[in-house]
C-alpha cells in the first residue's frame, strides 16, 4: 500500500497550486452565488484555464491538453476543490463530448469543435432525458427524419443542464423503430442557436436555474453532425459514459471538504453556551458521518487502484456514485437539524444565500442526476454481485 | 496510489481459505459449541503450520517479523469462518504488547511457543460492574516479599477453559491509574473458572476467581503501575485486527445472501430479482466495502505509525461493528423462515456480531475516543 504521490505528481500539484494562486479571480468567493451562475464569468474562467494550459489536462497535447495521467487528473480535482475554484461550465464538452469525438468523431468534427470547447467559446449540454425517458433512457421518442443531407428533429428534452447557455447539444434521437429499443438511436451534435430549438427554464427546488426543457420543432442537423453511425448511437452513448472517469473524484473531494465545513460549524455554533460539537448526540451523528465519508474516500482510492492496474474503470464507479451522493444528502440533512430552527434560514446575516440550506436543497438532485440511486443499486447488484437482472422490455 | 493488499498477501489468503474450508468453515464453530474447544487445538495447529501465528513475531523468536497488513488476509478468513479460539487475543493484543514492552526473558519464554501455535493467551479485564475505565479495576495484585499475590474476580474472560496464559489487568497501587498487566500461567492452582452462558455459544466466556494466587514479579508485563498506558497501545493493534475480522465475517454474509437470492425462487423467479431484496443486499455490499477500506487503512496506519492512527483504528472499529450487525440482521430476513432456524448459519454471524460489539471496550467509549482523536 502506498498513499504517497510521486515526485513528478507533487511537482504537478505545486505547479497547479501556484497557478491557481495567481489566476483565481480575486473577486471570486465560493459563497458569492452571483458568480456561481454567471455564464459570462464562467466562460471567462474556462478561457483563463485554457490559456494557462489547464483547460482539459487529460486531452492529448495535439488537441490542446497535457496528456495527463489519471493520477494527475485526480490531483487536479483535489486542487480545484481545495482552492474552491468555480465549477466548470463546459464539463460536458471537456469530459464527455470532446474525448468521444477524439475517439469516433470525424476529422471535420474534431477540427470544428475541440478548440472551441477548450476556450469556452462553445459550451455544450447533453440531451438525453425526455419526459418519458429518464432512467429508461432507451425509451426516447425524439425523432430525427432524414431529408436529403439534412435531418429534421422533433420532440422534447428535459432536465438539460446548462441548456440555456449551451451553444451545442450532444443529442440522442430516434432514427429507427427496431424491436430492441436501444437500436435505432443516433447521436447528433445539434446547434442550439437555431429557430427550431427553444429552451425554457426549469427552476429547481433550491430556487436556482441549471436545467431546462428543450423543445425541438423541425430543428435541423446535417449528416456531418452525426457521431459514429446512424442507428448506432447507443454504443456512442456508452462510449461517452466511459469517458467520465474523474467525475466522482471531484465529488469525493468536495464531500471531504463539506464535511470539514460541517465540523467547523459544529465547533463555532453554540447551544446553551456550549459548542454543538460537545453535545453527545451531535457528536455521535458526526462520528457516524465521518466514518462514512472517510470510508467513501478510501473506497474511492481502492477502486482507483483497481482502475490504474486494469487500465480501465470497472462497475465500481456505480458504487462510488451511490455512496457519495447518499452521504452528501445525509451530511446536509445533519447540518440543518443540528442548527435548530436557525438551520432553515435561507439567507445568512450578511444577506447571502445560506451555504447550508442551499446545499441541503441541492443535495436532493444528487441522488437523481446521473442515474438515480436505485439504478446504481441495480447496476451494483447485477454487475458486481451477479444477482438476476431486472425484468426489462 | 496503491491501495490494495499485495500479491503475496492475497496468495496467502488463498491458502488460509482453502484450509478453513477443508475443515468445514463454520463446522469448526459448531463443533466448538458442543465440545468447548476440545477438538479445536488441531485447527489452531493447522493454521500455525501455514504460518499464521508467526506472522507478526520477531525473527529471533521464530517469527516472520511481518506487519499488521500481513495479518489482514488471515484475520479476514478467520472472520469468514467465525473461528473460535484465541488467535485475535493472542496474536494481535498480547504479541504486540510482548514485542514492545516485554522483557527479554518474557519474550524468550512466550513468543516462540506462540509462533509455533503451541500456546495462546486470553485477557482478563472486566469485573462485575462492567466498567472499562481504570476505576473499574478492583482486583488486587500486591507485592509480598518476592512475589505478587493476586486476589479478586474477573468476568467475561474469553476462552478461559483453553487458554494457556492469562493477562490479568490488576490494581497494584492506590492511585486511579496504578494498574499493571500480570501474566498468569493457567496451570497454577488458586484459580477457579466458572463458565458463563452467552448468546454466541461458539465463544466461551467465564468468570475467573483468583484466590491468593502467587506469581513472581517478573510476570508483570511492562512497567509496574504503567499497565493502563501500554494497554491502550495494545488495544490499537487489537482493534485494527478486530475490524478486519468483522469485515471477513461480513464478507461471508454478503456471499451467503447473494447465493441464496440467486437460488431461492418465489413467484416463479429468483428472489434476488426483487429489488426489495436486491437493493438490501447491495446496501450490505456497500457497507462491506466501506468497512474494508476503513479496516485496510487502519492496519496501514498502525503499521506505519501514522499520526492519525488512533482515529483511523477507532473509526474502523465503529463502522465495521455496525456494518457487521446490519448485514447479519438483514441476512436473516433475506433467508426468510429458514434464516430464523439454527440449521443455516445466519444466526451464527448475528450472534458473533453482538459478541464483538462491546468486546474489550464499549461502543460508546469508542465513539468518545474517535471524537477526541479528531480534536472535537
Ligand atoms: C441535477 C440534475 C441534472 C441533470 N442533468 C441532465 C442533463 O444535463 N441532461 C439530461 O439528459 N438529463 C439530466 N438529468 C436527468 C436525469 O438523468 C434523470 O432525472 C434521471 O436519470 C432519472 O430519470 P427521471 O427523472 O425520469 O426519473 P424516473 O426514471 O421516472 O424515476 C422515478 C423513480 O423511479 C425509480 N426507478 C425508475 N426506474 C427504476 C428501476 N428500473 N428500478 C428501480 N427504480 C426505478 C427511480 O429511481 C426514481 O426513484 C439531470 C437530473 C438532475 C436531477
Amino acid at each position: 500500500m502506498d498513499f504517497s504521490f510521486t515526485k513528478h505528481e507533487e511537482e504537478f500539484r505545486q505547479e497547479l497550486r501556484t497557478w491557481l494562486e495567481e489566476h483565481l479571480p480575486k473577486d471570486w468567493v465560493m459563497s458569492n452565488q452571483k458568480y456561481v451562475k454567471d455564464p459570462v464569468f464562467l466562460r471567462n474562467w474556462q478561457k483563463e484555464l485554457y490559456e494557462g494550459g489547464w483547460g482539459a489536462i487529460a486531452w492529448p497535447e495535439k488537441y490542446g491538453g497535457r496528456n495527463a495521467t489519471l493520477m494527475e487528473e485526480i490531483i487536479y480535482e483535489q486542487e480545484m476543490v481545495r482552492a474552491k475554484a468555480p465549477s466548470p461550465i463546459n464539463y460536458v464538452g471537456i469530459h464527455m463530448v470532446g474525448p468521444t469525438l477524439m475517439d469516433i468523431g470525424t476529422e471535420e468534427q474534431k477540427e470544428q469543435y475541440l478548440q472551441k470547447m477548450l476556450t469556452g467559446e462553445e459550451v455544450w449540454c447533453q440531451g438525453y432525458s425526455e419526459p418519458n425517458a429518464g432512467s429508461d433512457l432507451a425509451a426516447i421518442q425524439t425523432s430525427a427524419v432524414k431529408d436529403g443531407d439534412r435531418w429534421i428533429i422533433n420532440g422534447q428534452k428535459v432536465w438539460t443542464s446548462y441548456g440555456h447557455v449551451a451553444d451545442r447539444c450532444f443529442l440522442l434521437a430516434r432514427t429507427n423503430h427496431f424491436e430492441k429499443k436501444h437500436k435505432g438511436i443516433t447521436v447528433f451534435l445539434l446547434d442550439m442557436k437555431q429557430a427550431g430549438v427553444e429552451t425554457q427554464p426549469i427552476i429547481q427546488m433550491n430556487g436556482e436555474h441549471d436545467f431546462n426543457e428543450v423543445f425541438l420543432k423541425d430543428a435541423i442537423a446535417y449528416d456531418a453532425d452525426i457521431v459514429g453511425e446512424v442507428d448506432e448511437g447507443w454504443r456512442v452513448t456508452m462510449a461517452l459514459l466511459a469517458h467520465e472517469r474523474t467525475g466522482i473524484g471531484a465529488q469525493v473531494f468536495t464531500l471531504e471538504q463539506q464535511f470539514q465545513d460541517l465540523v467547523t460549524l459544529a465547533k463555532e455554533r453554540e447551544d446553551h453556551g456550549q459548542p454543538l460539537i460537545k453535545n453527545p448526540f451531535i457528536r455521535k451523528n458526526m462520528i457516524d458521518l465521518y466514518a462514512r465519508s472517510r470510508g467513501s474516500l478510501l473506497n474511492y482510492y481502492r477502486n482507483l487502484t483497481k482502475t490504474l492496474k486494469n487500465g480501465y474503470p470497472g462497475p465500481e464507479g456505480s458504487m462510488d456514485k451511490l455512496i457519495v451522493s447518499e452521504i452528501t444528502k445525509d451530511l446536509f440533512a445533519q447540518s440543518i437539524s443540528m442548527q435548530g430552527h436557525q438551520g432553515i434560514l435561507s439567507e445568512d446575516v450578511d444577506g447571502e444565500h445560506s451555504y447550508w440550506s442551499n446545499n441541503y436543497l441541492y443535495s436532493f438532485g444528487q441522488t437523481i442526476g446521473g442515474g438515480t440511486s436505485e439504478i446504481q443499486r441495480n447496476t451494483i447488484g447485477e454487475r458486481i454481485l451477479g444477482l438476476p437482472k431486472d425484468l426489462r422490455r | 496510489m496503491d491501495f490494495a493488499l499485495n500479491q503475496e498477501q492475497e496468495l496467502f489468503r488463498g491458502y488460509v481459505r482453502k484450509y478453513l474450508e477443508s475443515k468445514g468453515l463454520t463446522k469448526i464453530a459448531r463443533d466448538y459449541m458442543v465440545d468447548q474447544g476440545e477438538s479445536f487445538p488441531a485447527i489452531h495447529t493447522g493454521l500455525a503450520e501455514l504460518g499464521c501465528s508467526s506472522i507478526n513475531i520477531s525473527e529471533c523468536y521464530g517469527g516472520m517479523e511481518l506487519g499488521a497488513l500481513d495479518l489482514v488476509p488471515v484475520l479476514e478468513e478467520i472472520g469468514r469462518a467465525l473461528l473460535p479460539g484465541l488467535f485475535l487475543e493472542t496474536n494481535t493484543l498480547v504479541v504486540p504488547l510482548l514485542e514492545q514492552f516485554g522483557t527479554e526473558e518474557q519474550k524468550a519464554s512466550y513468543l516462540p511457543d506462540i509462533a509455533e501455535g503451541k500456546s495462546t493467551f486470553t485477557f482478563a479485564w472486566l469485573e462485575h460492574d462492567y466498567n472499562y475505565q481504570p476505576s473499574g479495576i478492583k482486583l488486587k495484585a500486591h507485592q509480598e516479599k518476592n512475589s505478587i499475590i493476586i486476589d479478586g474476580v474477573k468476568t467475561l474472560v474469553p476462552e478461559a477453559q483453553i487458554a494457556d496464559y492469562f493477562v490479568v489487568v490488576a490494581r497494584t497501587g492506590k492511585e486511579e491509574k496504578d494498574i499493571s498487566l500480570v501474566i498468569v500461567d493457567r496451570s497454577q492452582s488458586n484459580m477457579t473458572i466458572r463458565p458463563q452462558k452467552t448468546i454466541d455459544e461458539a465463544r466461551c466466556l467465564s468468570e475467573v476467581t483468583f484466590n491468593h494466587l502467587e506469581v513472581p514479579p517478573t510476570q508483570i508485563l511492562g512497567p509496574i503501575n504503567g499497565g493502563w498506558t501500554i494497554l491502550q497501545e495494545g488495544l490499537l493493534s487489537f482493534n485494527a485486527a478486530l475490524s478486519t475480522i468483522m469485515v471477513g465475517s461480513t464478507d461471508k454474509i454478503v456471499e451467503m445472501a447473494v447465493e441464496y437470492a440467486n437460488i431461492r425462487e418465489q413467484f416463479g423467479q429468483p428472489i434476488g430479482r426483487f429489488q426489495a431484496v436486491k437493493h438490501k443486499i447491495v446496501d450490505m455490499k456497500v457497507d462491506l466495502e466501506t468497512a474494508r477500506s476503513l479496516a485496510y487503512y487502519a492496519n496501514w496506519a498502525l503499521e506505519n505509525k501514522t499520526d492519525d492512527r488512533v482515529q483511523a483504528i477507532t473509526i474502523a472499529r465503529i463502522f465495521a461493528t455496525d456494518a457487521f450487525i446490519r448485514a447479519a440482521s438483514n441476512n436473516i430476513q433475506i433467508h426468510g423462515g429458514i434464516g430464523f432456524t439454527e440449521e443455516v448459519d445466519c444466526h451464527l454471524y448475528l450472534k458473533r456480531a453482538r459478541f464483538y460489539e462491546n468486546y474489550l471496550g464499549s461502543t460508546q467509549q469508542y465513539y468518545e475516543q474517535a471524537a477526541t482523536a479528531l480534536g472535537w
Side-chain angles (χ1 to χ4, degrees):
Chain A
M1 279 180 204
D2 184 6
F3 293 91
S4 62
F5 293 91
T6 63
K7 189 163 161 279
H8 180 81
E9 286 162 355
E10 284 303 350
E11 280 164 10
F12 174 86
R13 182 191 299 281
Q14 204 44 56
E15 188 191 345
L16 174 58
R17 201 174 276 186
T18 310
W19 185 87
L20 279 172
E21 272 161 23
E22 283 165 13
H23 292 85
L24 208 58
K26 295 283 168 279
D27 51 354
W28 163 260
V29 216
M30 190 60 173
S31 61
N32 196 332
Q33 302 288 323
K34 196 169 87 201
Y35 287 123
V36 172
K37 299 293 160 196
D38 182 344
V40 178
F41 173 85
L42 292 176
R43 275 179 198 258
N44 285 339
W45 171 238
Q46 172 74 48
K47 186 145 182 279
E48 182 90 29
L49 283 170
Y50 162 69
E51 281 165 1
W54 302 102
I57 60 164
W59 286 17
E61 261 169 58
K62 71 167 173 174
Y63 295 121
R66 293 187 169 229
N67 282 325
T69 62
L70 180 52
M71 279 317 291
E72 285 169 344
E73 284 187 83
I74 300 305
I75 293 168
Y76 182 86
E77 299 300 343
Q78 279 180 333
E79 290 303 312
M80 287 295 167
V81 169
R82 207 183 79 100
K84 301 193 172 186
S87 55
I89 189 171
N90 212 7
Y91 186 87
V92 171
I94 305 280
H95 289 273
M96 304 170 103
V97 184
T100 307
L101 289 186
M102 289 174 216
D103 270 8
I104 33 185
T106 61
E107 283 313 313
E108 293 71 37
Q109 288 169 342
K110 293 181 206 174
E111 180 80 15
Q112 191 175 349
Y113 300 124
L114 292 179
Q115 171 82 6
K116 289 177 180 163
M117 273 174 206
L118 265 184
T119 57
E121 200 179 330
E122 278 184 356
V123 169
W124 285 75
C125 64
Q126 53 188 18
Y128 297 175
S129 305
E130 296 183 7
N132 292 313
S135 301
D136 186 8
L137 183 56
I140 55 156
Q141 291 303 324
T142 289
S143 74
V145 177
K146 191 152 170 68
D147 171 29
D149 72 337
R150 303 191 316 171
W151 292 78
I152 313 295
I153 303 177
N154 280 286
Q156 185 195 337
K157 293 290 168 182
V158 72
W159 321 129
T160 318
S161 297
Y162 288 109
H164 57 305
V165 291
D167 304 282
R168 300 200 78 92
C169 179
F170 192 86
L171 183 95
L172 302 196
R174 184 157 294 290
T175 38
N176 224 321
H177 288 270
F178 289 108
E179 195 136 312
K180 288 205 168 149
K181 290 191 306 194
H182 59 269
K183 291 228 133 210
I185 291 174
T186 303
V187 172
F188 293 92
L189 303 174
L190 185 82
D191 182 1
M192 294 287 282
K193 309 287 179 202
Q194 59 167 303
V197 177
E198 188 197 323
T199 61
Q200 276 182 14
I202 307 178
I203 305 302
Q204 294 139 212
M205 62 183 279
N206 62 342
E208 285 175 7
H209 166 209
D210 286 335
F211 54 36
N212 307 269
E213 283 182 293
V214 177
F215 297 93
L216 303 156
K217 286 186 196 126
D218 294 333
I220 307 253
Y222 296 89
D223 278 345
D225 298 328
I226 290 174
V227 185
E229 306 288 315
V230 174
D231 293 345
E232 295 293 336
W234 191 252
R235 235 191 276 155
V236 179
T237 309
M238 294 301 121
L240 174 136
L241 291 176
H243 277 298
E244 218 208 341
R245 60 180 198 177
T246 50
I248 307 292
Q251 280 181 46
V252 172
F253 303 129
T254 305
L255 174 64
E256 200 186 13
Q257 159 116 49
Q258 287 166 334
F259 184 80
Q260 279 320 313
D261 290 343
L262 185 70
V263 171
T264 308
L265 177 75
K267 282 182 171 170
E268 286 174 356
R269 243 346 115 73
E270 297 200 342
D271 181 34
H272 291 92
Q274 203 196 30
L276 293 177
I277 194 98
K278 296 293 178 196
N279 174 315
F281 298 105
I282 289 174
R283 246 170 133 69
K284 173 170 189 303
N285 288 342
M286 293 282 289
I287 288 291
D288 284 334
L289 258 179
Y290 174 74
R292 290 170 66 207
S293 53
R294 180 83 191 142
S296 73
L297 177 72
L298 293 170
N299 244 347
Y300 174 72
Y301 283 156
R302 214 146 55 80
N303 291 336
L304 184 67
T305 301
K306 230 187 232 177
T307 307
L308 288 167
K309 282 187 184 154
N310 295 343
Y312 56 88
E316 286 81 12
S318 281
M319 185 129 47
D320 290 324
K321 149 84 163 105
L322 171 67
I323 301 178
V324 171
S325 57
E326 290 290 339
I327 300 176
T328 302
K329 229 162 120 173
D330 291 347
L331 188 156
F332 287 106
Q334 164 75 7
S335 82
I336 300 292
S337 0
M338 189 170 93
Q339 296 178 71
H341 225 158
Q342 191 180 349
I344 58 168
L345 288 175
S346 62
E347 264 184 16
D348 291 329
V349 267
D350 51 12
E352 283 193 4
H353 261 353
S354 159
Y355 171 74
W356 298 109
S357 57
N358 189 48
N359 275 294
Y360 169 66
L361 296 177
Y362 184 75
S363 73
F364 284 84
Q366 289 177 267
T367 51
I368 299 171
T372 67
S373 288
E374 289 71 27
I375 294 297
Q376 306 303 333
R377 285 194 180 92
N378 286 347
T379 307
I380 297 165
E382 292 161 22
R383 293 196 46 206
I384 299 181
L385 292 174
L387 288 165
K389 280 199 185 298
D390 262 32
L391 293 173
R392 297 202 173 104
R393 276 188 306 129
Chain B
M1 175 65 53
D2 178 10
F3 189 22
L5 294 182
N6 64 34
Q7 257 181 336
E8 293 92 73
Q9 289 160 341
E10 289 296 352
L11 209 65
F12 193 58
R13 175 206 296 283
Y15 297 135
V16 179
R17 179 172 298 187
K18 216 163 134 200
Y19 175 73
L20 290 173
E21 277 174 356
S22 76
K23 299 292 163 192
L25 216 64
T26 51
K27 178 171 179 298
I28 305 168
R30 286 180 181 271
D31 289 348
Y32 201 86
M33 289 181 197
V34 180
D35 68 15
Q36 255 77 62
E38 244 174 73
S39 58
F40 185 70
I43 306 284
H44 191 77
T45 310
L47 286 173
E49 277 164 8
L50 282 175
C52 298
S53 52
S54 62
I55 291 174
N56 60 341
I57 291 177
S58 304
E59 270 179 28
C60 55
Y61 300 113
M64 303 185 197
E65 207 163 314
L66 296 170
L69 282 167
D70 298 290
L71 275 171
V72 164
V74 180
L75 292 163
E76 278 193 33
E77 293 310 308
I78 284 179
R80 277 173 67 90
L82 292 178
L83 205 73
L86 289 165
F87 185 88
L88 174 70
E89 296 74 1
T90 307
N91 275 82
T92 73
L93 179 53
V94 176
V95 166
L97 283 176
L98 279 169
E99 286 275 357
Q100 216 181 331
F101 305 105
T103 60
E104 280 311 313
E105 199 189 345
Q106 288 170 343
K107 291 189 207 180
S109 61
Y110 301 118
L111 291 174
D113 279 357
I114 296 177
E116 282 187 46
K118 280 192 196 145
S119 67
T120 54
F121 278 70
T122 187
F123 217 76
W125 178 347
L126 272 190
E127 300 181 19
H128 280 299
D129 60 357
Y130 304 112
N131 170 357
Y132 276 110
Q133 297 305 312
S135 61
I137 308 298
K138 305 275 178 355
L139 177 138
K140 283 210 178 67
H142 68 276
Q143 189 134 13
E144 241 178 48
K145 290 192 200 124
N146 255 343
S147 39
I148 304 277
I149 313 288
I150 304 178
D151 270 303
V153 184
K154 290 288 178 182
T155 188
L156 304 179
V157 180
E159 324 305 342
Q161 82 292 356
I162 59 162
D164 301 291
Y165 299 98
F166 293 63
V167 172
V168 182
V169 186
R171 179 156 297 287
T172 38
K174 292 211 170 57
E175 299 298 318
E176 167 101 349
K177 282 205 178 171
D178 285 350
I179 285 163
S180 305
L181 306 181
V182 190
I183 299 172
V184 171
D185 189 333
R186 84 171 260 104
S187 63
Q188 282 182 294
S189 49
N190 296 6
M191 174 163 48
T192 13
I193 297 174
R194 190 180 66 81
Q196 298 169 303
K197 274 194 177 271
T198 70
I199 61 170
D200 183 1
E201 291 177 272
R203 293 285 319 243
C204 298
L205 294 174
S206 300
E207 185 182 273
V208 180
T209 308
F210 300 91
N211 192 0
H212 217 70
L213 181 110
E214 209 177 318
V215 297
T218 49
Q219 292 298 87
I220 292 186
L221 174 53
I224 185 138
N225 291 335
W228 194 259
T229 319
I230 69 168
L231 176 56
Q232 303 317 305
E233 279 297 313
L235 285 174
L236 286 179
S237 62
F238 169 82
N239 280 320
L242 178 60
S243 316
T244 309
I245 287 211
M246 294 196 283
V247 164
S249 305
T250 311
D251 186 68
K252 181 65 191 170
I253 293 171
V254 173
E255 190 180 298
M256 284 171 76
V258 168
E259 225 170 80
Y260 193 71
N262 270 316
I263 54 160
R264 173 68 177 168
E265 295 197 354
Q266 288 293 288
F267 302 96
Q269 51 196 310
I271 58 167
R273 186 168 280 150
F274 303 124
Q275 290 186 349
V277 172
K278 180 185 283 176
H279 289 187
K280 206 179 251 210
I281 301 176
V282 168
D283 286 342
M284 288 155 66
K285 169 75 172 171
V286 165
D287 272 355
L288 162 66
E289 294 307 333
T290 309
R292 182 174 272 143
S293 298
L294 288 168
Y296 281 9
Y297 185 78
N299 283 286
W300 181 82
L302 179 75
E303 191 168 302
N304 292 283
K305 301 189 176 67
T306 64
D307 289 343
D308 66 350
R309 73 197 208 288
V310 176
Q311 75 200 48
I313 292 166
T314 316
I315 286 289
R317 171 172 175 149
I318 290 172
F319 190 88
T321 307
D322 249 19
F324 186 9
I325 295 173
R326 260 199 308 271
S329 314
N330 284 332
N331 193 34
I332 295 176
Q333 182 68 20
I334 286 159
H335 278 73
I338 192 94
F340 184 61
T341 66
E342 287 206 332
E343 203 171 307
V344 299
D345 285 343
C346 301
H347 69 110
L348 297 180
Y349 287 88
L350 175 82
K351 290 167 180 173
R352 183 61 53 86
R354 289 302 184 181
F355 180 89
Y356 281 144
E357 184 181 11
N358 287 290
Y359 195 45
L360 300 194
S362 70
T363 302
Q364 198 186 337
Q365 167 194 332
Y366 283 119
Y367 269 100
E368 202 40 56
Q369 185 177 347
T372 310
L374 283 161
W376 297 357

